Amino acid sequence: MEINIPGSGILDIKNILLDYNGTLAVDGILLPGLKEIINELSEQFSIHVITADTFGNAEAELADIKCTFIRLKPENQTEAKLQYLIECGKENTAAIGNGKNDRYMLKEAILGIAVVQAEGAFTETLIMSDIVCHDIISALEFFRNPKRLAATMRD
């Protein structure tokens, strides 16, 4: 997806990198309605879900979703998420998350979106993001309706 952001230039987004717990899920359970939205977006974007899998059920919850699933080791999660973003190509990857271990991933992505849902959000992650949304569906809607993104980010 190429979108012209008035005053900022063109964003060329090919990948969407998603945190799982606190972003796609609450207490390890995938939020309602996301399966359909993510599968729809997977027709246009390469979808990646990266998680430490705190509750141990992320892979099963994502079984019917067209995405690349990455389970992290418990240590160095912040660096691992940033490294995965770099491997995806940060210049073409939007990232969405809420936790402390998402902050650098959101900062370095071409577009970083923080979400504040039931599990809250780490303050520094909010500051390092480009956009803050009240829920994941609102965040994903930017990719279904790119004019919303232009309206939010224009100078």
Side-chain angles (χ1 to χ4, degrees), residues 7 19 28 31 33-34 37 41 49 58 60 79 98 100 104 118 124 146 154:
D19 169 54
L31 292 166
L34 289 180
I37 295 170
L41 290 173
V49 178
E79 293 80 14
N98 74 309
K100 183 176 182 179
Y104 296 131
E124 194 174 335
R154 70 177 163 230

Side-chain angles (χ1 to χ4, degrees), residues 21-23 25-28 55 98 116-121:
N21 284 305
T23 301
V26 173
D27 297 330
F55 297 92
N98 74 309
V116 183
Q117 300 181 125
E119 294 182 17

Side-chain angles (χ1 to χ4, degrees), residues 19-40:
D19 169 54
Y20 185 72
N21 284 305
T23 301
L24 296 179
V26 173
D27 297 330
I29 305 300
L30 188 70
L31 292 166
L34 289 180
K35 176 183 171 184
E36 295 77 15
I37 295 170
I38 295 171
N39 282 337
E40 175 190 323

Side-chain angles (χ1 to χ4, degrees), residues 3 29 38 47 49 53 57-58 72 107 109 112 146 151:
I3 182 157
I29 305 300
I38 295 171
I47 307 291
V49 178
D53 201 11
N57 59 342
L72 299 173
K107 180 182 180 187

Side-chain angles (χ1 to χ4, degrees), residues 49-118:
V49 178
I50 189 164
T51 181
D53 201 11
T54 303
F55 297 92
N57 59 342
E59 192 168 15
E61 287 285 311
L62 295 166
D64 295 330
I65 295 179
K66 298 173 190 167
C67 68
T68 301
F69 175 74
I70 306 299
R71 181 181 289 117
L72 299 173
K73 295 178 182 175
E75 62 278 343
N76 302 316
Q77 293 171 16
T78 302
E79 293 80 14
K81 286 185 175 188
L82 178 58
Q83 185 58 43
Y84 190 79
L85 169 71
I86 292 167
E87 290 170 15
C88 286
K90 66 181 187 173
E91 65 281 353
N92 298 108
T93 303
I96 305 175
N98 74 309
K100 183 176 182 179
N101 64 6
D102 297 320
R103 67 192 189 281
Y104 296 131
M105 176 179 78
L106 270 57
K107 180 182 180 187
E108 294 298 322
I110 189 81
L111 175 66
I113 303 174
V115 293
V116 183
Q117 300 181 125

